[in-house]
Amino acid sequence: MLKEEKNLNKTTNQDTLSFKEIKPKIMYYGTPTLLLNTLNEDGTTNISPMSSSWALGDCIVLGIGLGGKAIENLERHKECVINLPSPNLWENVEKISSYTGKKDTPSYKQEIGFTYKKDKYESSELTPLESKTVLPTRIKECPIQMEALVKNIRIPEYNPLFAIVEAQVLHFHAEDRIIQNEIYIDPSKWSPLIYNFRHYFELGKEVGKTFRSET
């Protein structure tokens, strides 16, 4: 096929695409689900399912809604554990998705179906595991668990409904089977639970890797 014909076909295919501007009610476009463990006043651990986070270096940035137990705990005690569940744990995560550890549940949360539940471990059928240096416990069933120290909490002036929390990872725990060469996570053996527009997904097949990959 001549070069001109290839370019013509490419242009024609692009011309058939159609886009429409919308205002989506949610923008959870597909990020790993995490279970954030924070310390309650009585020394027990609260578990909060979340999906808003990103990582760079040893820093994890979390987006946490206000009015819940997680942010209340972090403002009082600046330690947490970031647990990453695998896809097979989605039902355990969902079992506590409508629970809040805040006894005086805000009315707006009640209206969308949240109810108070203190013991999230029992409700989720997950198992606590003692952390190395922080007080909140880790979740045994999660293949990756990161003990972290909160370095900064900021409520953006343009949207006072959530907090941006910066946490520095102190200890990174990983299940033996997913560790490669002592310092890497084997991406062929680890798959995060993906929260995709309020549906749970797992990863598909590998399609390639970046030039910076060392495995």
Side-chain angles (χ1 to χ4, degrees):
M1 183 181 291
L2 297 178
K3 184 177 180 180
E4 291 79 4
E5 292 176 334
K6 288 183 178 179
N7 291 335
L8 179 60
N9 287 339
K10 183 178 180 180
T11 302
T12 302
N13 290 337
Q14 290 177 339
D15 288 343
T16 62
L17 297 177
S18 177
F19 295 90
K20 182 179 181 180
E21 182 181 1
I22 65 172
K23 293 183 178 180
K25 186 176 180 180
I26 54 171
M27 288 195 291
Y28 298 117
Y29 49 79
T31 51
T33 301
L34 64 91
L35 294 172
L36 181 68
N37 285 14
T38 58
L39 193 72
N40 293 321
E41 296 89 340
D42 61 1
T44 59
T45 295
N46 181 66
I47 306 174
S48 302
M50 293 175 47
S51 65
S52 300
S53 71
W54 59 266
L56 187 63
D58 64 353
C59 178
I60 306 289
V61 179
L62 307 167
I64 304 178
L66 300 183
K69 194 63 178 176
I71 190 63
E72 178 184 294
N73 282 348
L74 290 180
E75 288 175 335
R76 187 191 67 259
H77 184 86
K78 300 187 185 304
E79 293 181 342
C80 64
V81 178
I82 300 162
N83 303 275
L84 298 182
S86 49
N88 66 300
L89 294 176
W90 80 266
E91 290 179 296
N92 302 82
V93 173
E94 185 58 21
K95 284 177 181 177
I96 57 173
S97 66
S98 63
Y99 291 145
T100 174
K102 195 173 177 66
K103 197 167 186 178
D104 50 337
T105 307
S107 57
Y108 75 89
K109 297 195 79 169
Q110 294 181 37
E111 289 171 2
I112 59 178
F114 280 90
T115 55
Y116 169 70
K117 179 70 70 171
K118 179 175 174 54
D119 193 342
K120 304 283 189 68
Y121 272 114
E122 181 182 18
S123 300
S124 63
E125 299 180 2
L126 295 171
T127 311
L129 193 63
E130 186 177 355
S131 296
K132 187 174 182 179
T133 58
V134 302
L135 293 180
T137 54
R138 297 179 278 146
I139 298 176
K140 182 179 180 181
E141 290 80 3
C142 290
I144 293 177
Q145 311 138 10
M146 294 173 280
E147 299 180 39
L149 184 64
V150 172
K151 291 295 187 177
N152 186 47
I153 299 176
R154 181 173 70 88
I155 299 174
E157 62 281 357
Y158 57 84
N159 192 332
L161 299 178
F162 62 88
I164 298 171
V165 178
E166 301 169 23
Q168 182 180 31
V169 175
L170 305 175
H171 305 288
F172 190 106
H173 307 273
E175 198 174 316
D176 287 339
R177 66 177 180 83
I178 66 173
I179 299 175
Q180 182 177 7
N181 299 331
E182 298 299 321
I183 60 172
Y184 298 104
I185 297 297
D186 188 338
S188 68
K189 296 179 180 178
W190 157 245
S191 174
L193 174 62
I194 299 297
Y195 194 63
N196 182 12
F197 289 99
R198 290 184 175 160
H199 291 252
Y200 296 108
F201 280 79
E202 61 182 346
L203 295 183
K205 67 176 182 178
E206 181 179 359
V207 296
K209 63 180 180 180
T210 176
F211 77 99
R212 297 188 63 185
S213 174
E214 298 178 4
T215 58

